[in-house]
């Protein structure tokens, strides 16, 4: 995970291919849902599902890495209240958990509202709400006392990385989903930057849920007397 994250940062900082002459490919998203709230509701559903799965994976990891006391987790209700009341504290998690994985998920939270069509201010607030109440005082509080580092670093750095990811996603999608001429690399980076958005947009879950991309062109054919068809194109 650390190597993938550092590779992505290097691609942003060093690649001339990510600095196009026109800023439109960075500022204007290729995907704008017809309903902000329907998109956000779908992403929230995936966020909850993914977070519960992530908590399960963390539970299976060694206690030396997660600092989770598995015996405490067995008495969920009692220990949850005790941990919430005793926090927040300065945790002793590994540096990569505090400074890479937490900001990364803060960025993922941020992107759900940003890509739904909300501005950066609301997206930062949403990242704060998710990281604080959904994760730190929610799922993780069943296993670990809330942490000062996570409460601050996750939404703060996460929102900064989230906006960088947002610009990178816009560029790749506006470049026919290619990066360095490769659709595979483009798709991989889209998934790594926003796995939830990748499922909604690229794997077409949003379309199945009735969410349409207003940036898509739709076409239909009109017959003419001489047999030549005329193509009419419009946006949703």
């Amino acid at each position: 995970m650390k190597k993938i994250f550092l590779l992505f940062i290097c691609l942003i900082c060093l690649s001339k291919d990510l600095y196009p002459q026109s800023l439109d490919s960075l500022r204007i998203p290729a995907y704008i849902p017809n309903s902000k709230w329907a998109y956000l509701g779908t992403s929230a559903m995936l966020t909850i599902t993914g977070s519960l799965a992530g908590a399960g994976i963390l539970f299976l990891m060694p206690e030396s890495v997660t600092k989770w006391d598995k015996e405490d987790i067995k008495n969920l209700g009692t220990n949850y209240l005790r941990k919430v009341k005793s926090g927040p504290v300065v945790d002793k998690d590994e540096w990569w958990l505090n400074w890479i994985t937490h900001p990364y998920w803060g960025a993922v939270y941020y992107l759900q509202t940003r890509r739904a069509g909300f501005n950066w201010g609301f997206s930062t607030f949403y990242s704060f709400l998710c990281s604080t109440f959904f994760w730190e005082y929610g799922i993780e509080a069943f296993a670990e006392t809330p942490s000062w580092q996570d409460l601050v670093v996750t939404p703060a750095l996460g929102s900064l990385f989230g906006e960088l990811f947002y610009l990178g996603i816009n560029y790749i999608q506006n470049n026919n989903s290619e990066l360095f001429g490769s659709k595979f690399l483009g798709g991989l980076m889209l998934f790594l930057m926003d796995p939830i958005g990748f499922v909604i947009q690229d794997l077409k879950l949003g379309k199945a849920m009735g969410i349409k991309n207003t940036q898509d062109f739709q076409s239909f054919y009109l017959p003419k007397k001489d047999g030549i068809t005329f193509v009419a194109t419009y946006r949703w």
Side-chain angles (χ1 to χ4, degrees):
M1 183 68 186
K2 290 186 289 184
K3 293 181 179 179
I4 293 174
F5 186 84
L6 292 175
L7 172 62
F8 172 71
I9 296 299
C10 289
L11 286 174
I12 288 181
C13 295
L14 300 178
S15 175
K16 294 180 180 179
D17 196 31
L18 288 176
Y19 294 90
Q21 293 181 351
S22 173
L23 293 178
D24 286 347
S25 60
L26 293 175
R27 293 187 297 103
I28 301 176
Y31 185 101
I32 301 177
N34 60 328
S35 172
K36 294 180 180 181
W37 295 105
Y39 185 98
L40 186 56
T42 302
S43 70
M45 176 188 66
L46 291 175
T47 299
I48 293 171
T49 303
S51 297
L52 291 174
I57 293 172
L58 289 173
F59 180 78
L60 296 175
M61 294 177 67
E63 292 183 14
S64 59
V65 174
T66 63
K67 304 299 186 294
W68 287 10
D69 188 334
K70 295 182 180 180
E71 290 300 318
D72 275 358
I73 298 176
K74 293 179 180 179
N75 300 313
L76 292 180
T78 302
N79 285 309
Y80 173 82
L81 293 175
R82 177 174 58 82
K83 291 177 185 298
V84 168
K85 289 179 180 179
S86 62
V89 298
V90 176
D91 68 39
K92 297 180 181 179
D93 287 350
E94 301 292 339
W95 70 270
W96 57 271
L97 283 172
N98 281 332
W99 296 99
I100 294 181
T101 59
H102 277 281
Y104 170 76
W105 283 109
V108 171
Y109 295 145
Y110 174 92
L111 283 169
Q112 302 322 300
T113 42
R114 196 73 172 100
R115 301 192 73 192
F118 295 93
N119 60 30
W120 65 268
F122 183 79
S123 299
T124 300
F125 179 64
Y126 183 81
S127 178
F128 165 76
L129 289 179
C130 287
S131 60
T132 300
F133 299 105
F134 172 66
W135 182 257
E136 202 64 23
Y137 278 92
I139 294 175
E140 193 175 42
F142 285 101
E144 186 178 83
T145 302
S147 157
W148 278 115
Q149 296 104 304
D150 299 343
L151 288 170
V152 175
V153 171
T154 303
L157 285 184
S159 296
L160 294 176
F161 285 127
E163 188 64 17
L164 286 176
F165 288 178
Y166 176 72
L167 297 176
I169 289 169
N170 288 347
Y171 172 76
I172 293 173
Q173 288 189 329
N174 283 316
N175 192 41
N176 198 30
S177 295
E178 294 181 0
L179 184 62
F180 304 122
S182 169
K183 276 190 172 292
F184 172 79
L185 185 56
L188 177 63
M189 295 309 299
L190 290 174
F191 172 76
L192 291 177
M193 287 187 285
D194 183 14
I196 295 173
F198 185 85
V199 172
I200 295 174
Q201 298 180 24
D202 297 88
L203 297 186
K204 309 300 183 184
L205 176 63
K207 187 175 182 180
M209 300 289 289
I211 302 171
K212 299 175 182 177
N213 180 12
T214 60
Q215 297 295 84
D216 275 347
F217 284 100
Q218 306 296 325
S219 300
F220 60 91
Y221 298 88
L222 298 175
K224 298 180 69 176
K225 290 182 179 179
D226 57 5
I228 300 175
T229 57
F230 170 71
V231 180
T233 305
Y234 63 98
R235 290 187 186 273
W236 284 106

